[in-house]
Amino acid sequence: SIEKQLSKETDLNRTFTRDFRIPLTNSSSSLRELRKWWAQYMESTSEMETALQFYEAARDNLSLVRVYCYCGNLEKVRFILL
């Protein structure tokens, strides 16, 4: 059923978020790519706050600027660019 599928997706998101958000300073390129991929997925599902967290963890400034512009948070854009 749809409810079951949504529950599975929510559990997956919770697990992924818990397991891969921290540490934010890990510089492993494969982990950064995984975080960026998950951020892109979260953005595609309109989970902008989660997407921003993962773009930040992946140190993807271009995507951060794009999403902050989309959300109208120009102060954050200014902070990233300066």
Side-chain angles (χ1 to χ4, degrees):
S1 76
I2 292 176
E3 292 83 13
K4 232 181 207 182
Q5 183 62 31
L6 287 174
S7 176
K8 285 181 186 177
E9 289 178 15
T10 301
D11 289 343
L12 175 62
N13 183 28
R14 215 176 280 129
T15 299
F16 191 92
T17 301
R18 182 188 68 234
D19 292 345
F20 292 102
R21 184 179 338 172
I22 298 173
L24 294 178
T25 57
N26 189 325
S27 62
S28 166
S29 64
S30 61
L31 184 55
R32 284 179 29 197
E33 287 301 312
L34 183 60
R35 287 173 173 158
K36 183 177 176 179
W37 174 83
W38 189 252
Q40 290 169 335
Y41 174 74
M42 290 286 94
E43 185 180 353
S44 76
T45 63
S46 298
E47 294 286 337
M48 297 307 192
E49 286 301 317
T50 303
L52 287 167
Q53 291 172 357
F54 279 90
Y55 282 135
E56 187 174 323
R59 298 185 214 149
D60 184 351
N61 287 338
L62 179 62
S63 295
L64 283 169
V65 167
R66 183 187 66 249
V67 175
Y68 279 129
C69 284
Y70 174 81
C71 294
N73 194 337
L74 299 182
E75 190 61 35
K76 287 280 193 175
V77 171
R78 184 173 172 264
F79 179 77
I80 292 169
L81 296 177
L82 295 179

